[in-house]
Structures are given as C-alpha cells and as structure tokens.
Amino acid sequence: MKRSNRLAWMGAIALAAIVLLSLIAAPNNTKINTGSTYNRASDGYGAWYAFMQQQGISIKRWQKPFSDIQPENSPITVLQISGYPRERILDSQEREWVEKGNTLVILGAGARVTEAEFSTMQKSPQGNIKIDTRRRYKKANSKQVDLGDRFGAVVWEENYNKGKVIFSTTPYLAANAYQDYLSNFKYLASLVTVKSNTVFVDEYIHGYKDADVRKKEREGDLSSFFAKTPLFPILVQVGILLLVLIWAQNRRFGKPVALDTPIIDNSEAYIQALAGVLQKADTTDFVVQMVGKQEQLQLQKALGLGQILLERQALINFWIEKTGASAAELDAVLKLQSRKQPISEQELLSWLGKWRSLREIQNSLVLSVAEVKLKIKN
C-alpha cells in the first residue's frame, strides 16, 4: 500500500473512532433544561416562576431526589416538567406518595399524535389557553378531562386514593414563550394550587442538585467532574488520534531523525538507464559502435592524432610507433568493432576489458609526455 493511501486510511479510521466516541460518550444536554425555572429561553419556565412569586404563592425549587420529599401537615404539590415524553405510569414510590393525599403535576406526558391542529385555543375558567401540540390522550373519560377537544384530552387527572396526578400532553403549557398569554400562566397556577399550600418545582430532573446531594452522589471530587463533563471524552479522542498518527508514521515516541538525502549523479543515472534499455533490447552491436568510437577518439587524442577517426591499419601503425607495445589487443578490439554484428554478453565484457587495458597504456603514455614537457620547460 502506498504511503499516501495508508495515511488516508489511518485518518479515516481516526475520524470514525472520534465520531463514534462522541456519539457514545459525549453528554446529551439538548433538552435537559427544557422546563427548568432557571432557564430563560423560550422553553424554560423562569417567567412563570417569577409570576408565581409575585402572586404570593408559596413555591420552591426542589433540587433533591423525589424520595427526599417529606410529608407536611398540609398536602404538597410537586410540578415535574419533562423535556421528553414521560410514561403515564407511576413508580411505586411516586404512587405511595400520591396516595397519601398529595398532588403530582406532570407536564409532557406521553400520548399519541392525532389529526388535531398543532396550534389550538382551549377554553378554561381562566380564559382561552394556547396549546401547541397534536398529542392527545384518548382514553380519559369526560370526568377526568380538564382541557381538551374532540380529538382527546390535553390536560386530565387521575385519582389515587386521597391524592391525584394531573397530566399534560404538552410540556410548554406555561413556558416563557407564552408570556403574552397570561391565561396560560393563570391556568397552570390553578392546577398546582388546588388543595395545596406548598408547591415544589422539581429541578432535580433538570440536573440541579443541592450541595449535600452532590456530595452524596460523589459529584464533588475532581475525578467525577472529569468523568461527567465533555473534557474527558475530548482527552480520550485526542489520545486515540495521537496513537493512530504514531502508528501511521511507523515511529515511536521521540524526536524525528532526519534522513540523509542521497546525491544523485545525473550522468551516471542516465548511463545506467540507457544500459538497462539496451540490455533488454539486445543491441550489443550499437553499444560496440558507440563505445568503440569514443574509445578510439580518446586513444587518438593520447597519441596526438586529432579527432578524425583513422583506418584500422593506420591507427595500429601509429600505436606501434608511439608506444612500442604489441598491437594484438588493439587489432582485436578494432576488428570486433568493425564487424557490426551482435555479439554475446561474454564477448562484450571481454571486449570492454581489452579497451580498459589499452586505456591504461595510453594513460601511461600521456603521463610520460607530460614529464618530458616539464623537464624541457625547467
């Protein structure tokens, strides 16, 4: 696999791991604040909470588990506003608490989507109530329905012994977005104050906890903080990416070692490339002609005979005259060069070896001539 393709695959694997880890480990807080009285956005209940305080109603934020709500002399109402559709079935703890004569108001109860218009105005003693949902509960009987239409109930109640549970299919019954609809605020106020002197808004389900609760649930130490915040998944992602990059580069931790760049001899590279082509083409006769021509010119230059190629016999005569050496090797290489026929690889190597021997003789000749000239000059 090519290096570029390998790096691309490693990058894709790292990116997929980061995305998968983000989907699994990153906290999802998109709707956790929906319905919180601390939330000033359109889906929050900060304005309604302030409205209740202005009316002098005893209302408090509850930031502990539901099980910690202690019974009082008078009935208590707990308001739960869920960002997600909640099941209408109570757990054993909630049911026991309600049966003692308390009231549980749940905004955002699960119900089917019907053919009703999304935005409707529902009549109530407090005035027209704006409802923005198609969800309706069809199984409630007419005595249970407090707000609804022909498609089903929007707000209804169910009795549990001495207490009751009030459900609403919309979690936005009196959200900040309905500040221009004062009847919505008054209507929710009437629901939570019936037979109750104290109203608790459950903020625990929105992630708000008292200091003693955080300590009890081990949220006060540093390790728990990192484990429950986005910083921990980010550190894990960075670690995975770092390991993948190290693996892709095939190196361990440490300073990178620079490689020495080889110096390329263009002439040598050209000669080697040409030799490879000629070898595959089996054109030894071309090699003999070209190399032989250059070798003969170099020999004539050493003998002082100029750059015009001489006839074989004339060159041999000059060789004997200038060097006094045997002309057998020179005669052999010149005959093979003039044959102009393909030769075997072994014959070519032998021919090149003879030219190497002749070159050594001509180098000795050039050196002797240079020494003679130097002596004459001195």
Side-chain angles (χ1 to χ4, degrees), residues 181-238:
Y181 298 89
L182 189 59
S183 55
N184 283 51
F185 281 32
K186 292 180 179 180
Y187 178 73
L188 180 58
S190 68
L191 292 180
V192 299
T193 55
V194 175
K195 297 182 181 180
S196 300
N197 294 330
T198 304
V199 180
F200 289 110
V201 181
D202 192 349
E203 290 291 347
Y204 183 83
I205 62 175
H206 300 295
Y208 296 98
K209 303 174 184 180
D210 290 339
D212 58 332
V213 177
R214 290 198 301 270
K215 185 176 181 181
K216 182 179 178 181
E217 296 180 359
R218 297 181 58 84
E219 293 188 358
D221 52 32
L222 188 61
S223 60
S224 299
F225 170 77
F226 282 120
K228 295 183 179 181
T229 55
L231 183 60
F232 179 73
I234 290 174
L235 293 177
V236 175
Q237 293 170 7
V238 172

Side-chain angles (χ1 to χ4, degrees), residues 3 26 35 44 58 77 102 104 108 157 173 187 246 255 315 338:
R3 185 176 182 83
S58 177
T77 297
N102 300 302
L104 179 60
E157 63 180 51
L173 187 59
Y187 178 73
I246 293 173
K255 295 182 179 179
L315 181 57
S338 61

Side-chain angles (χ1 to χ4, degrees), residues 27 56 118 145 188 193 209 238 246 257 277 351 363 373:
F118 179 78
V145 178
L188 180 58
T193 55
K209 303 174 184 180
V238 172
I246 293 173
V257 179
V277 173
W351 179 75
N363 289 339
K373 289 183 179 180

Side-chain angles (χ1 to χ4, degrees), residues 275-307:
V277 173
L278 294 175
Q279 183 180 15
K280 290 182 178 181
D282 194 20
T283 54
T284 54
D285 55 337
F286 176 78
V287 176
V288 170
Q289 292 178 18
M290 298 303 295
V291 175
K293 178 180 178 180
Q294 292 300 321
E295 291 288 350
Q296 183 175 340
L297 289 175
Q298 291 294 328
L299 178 60
Q300 290 183 189
K301 182 179 179 181
L303 298 175
L305 300 178
Q307 296 297 314

Side-chain angles (χ1 to χ4, degrees), residues 57-81:
I57 299 174
S58 177
I59 186 169
K60 300 177 182 177
R61 292 182 173 106
W62 186 257
Q63 300 182 162
K64 295 181 180 181
F66 188 88
S67 59
D68 290 353
I69 300 178
Q70 299 297 329
E72 297 184 358
N73 296 329
S74 60
I76 300 173
T77 297
V78 173
L79 172 63
Q80 291 184 338
I81 309 169

Side-chain angles (χ1 to χ4, degrees), residues 125-375:
Q126 289 74 29
N128 290 334
I129 310 300
K130 183 174 175 58
I131 299 297
D132 290 320
T133 183
R134 288 191 173 93
R135 296 184 182 276
R136 299 289 190 273
Y137 181 62
K138 296 183 177 181
K139 294 183 179 181
N141 57 53
S142 58
K143 293 182 179 180
Q144 292 177 309
V145 178
D146 194 74
L147 205 68
D149 49 29
R150 63 187 181 90
F151 296 100
V154 176
V155 178
W156 73 99
E157 63 180 51
E158 296 179 6
N159 295 321
Y160 289 85
N161 201 354
K162 297 179 182 180
K164 64 179 179 179
V165 180
I166 300 175
F167 296 98
S168 169
T169 60
T170 173
Y172 311 113
L173 187 59
N176 296 333
Y178 298 92
Q179 295 183 55
D180 293 336
Y181 298 89
L182 189 59
S183 55
N184 283 51
F185 281 32
K186 292 180 179 180
Y187 178 73
L188 180 58
S190 68
L191 292 180
V192 299
T193 55
V194 175
K195 297 182 181 180
S196 300
N197 294 330
T198 304
V199 180
F200 289 110
V201 181
D202 192 349
E203 290 291 347
Y204 183 83
I205 62 175
H206 300 295
Y208 296 98
K209 303 174 184 180
D210 290 339
D212 58 332
V213 177
R214 290 198 301 270
K215 185 176 181 181
K216 182 179 178 181
E217 296 180 359
R218 297 181 58 84
E219 293 188 358
D221 52 32
L222 188 61
S223 60
S224 299
F225 170 77
F226 282 120
K228 295 183 179 181
T229 55
L231 183 60
F232 179 73
I234 290 174
L235 293 177
V236 175
Q237 293 170 7
V238 172
I240 292 176
L241 181 59
L242 180 61
L243 291 176
V244 171
L245 289 177
I246 293 173
W247 180 32
Q249 295 291 337
N250 261 341
R251 64 173 63 165
R252 299 183 179 182
F253 288 100
K255 295 182 179 179
V257 179
L259 298 176
D260 295 332
T261 304
I263 300 175
I264 300 176
D265 188 341
N266 293 330
S267 298
E268 182 180 356
Y270 173 75
I271 293 173
Q272 290 178 353
L274 180 60
V277 173
L278 294 175
Q279 183 180 15
K280 290 182 178 181
D282 194 20
T283 54
T284 54
D285 55 337
F286 176 78
V287 176
V288 170
Q289 292 178 18
M290 298 303 295
V291 175
K293 178 180 178 180
Q294 292 300 321
E295 291 288 350
Q296 183 175 340
L297 289 175
Q298 291 294 328
L299 178 60
Q300 290 183 189
K301 182 179 179 181
L303 298 175
L305 300 178
Q307 296 297 314
I308 300 176
L309 291 176
L310 300 178
E311 295 292 334
R312 179 172 63 86
Q313 191 58 47
L315 181 57
I316 291 174
N317 294 336
F318 275 109
W319 171 264
I320 296 174
E321 180 183 347
K322 294 288 185 180
T323 63
S326 173
E329 286 191 351
L330 178 60
D331 185 43
V333 296
L334 292 177
K335 282 183 179 180
L336 186 63
Q337 178 179 331
S338 61
R339 194 168 65 179
K340 297 182 181 181
Q341 293 179 356
I343 61 176
S344 66
E345 184 176 350
Q346 188 63 34
E347 289 177 325
L348 177 62
L349 293 175
S350 175
W351 179 75
L352 292 173
K354 291 178 181 179
W355 267 118
R356 186 180 299 109
S357 300
L358 294 173
R359 195 181 304 115
E360 292 176 356
I361 297 174
Q362 75 182 38
N363 289 339
S364 299
L365 176 61
V366 172
L367 181 60
S368 300
V369 173
E371 290 177 351
V372 171
K373 289 183 179 180
L374 182 60
K375 291 179 179 180

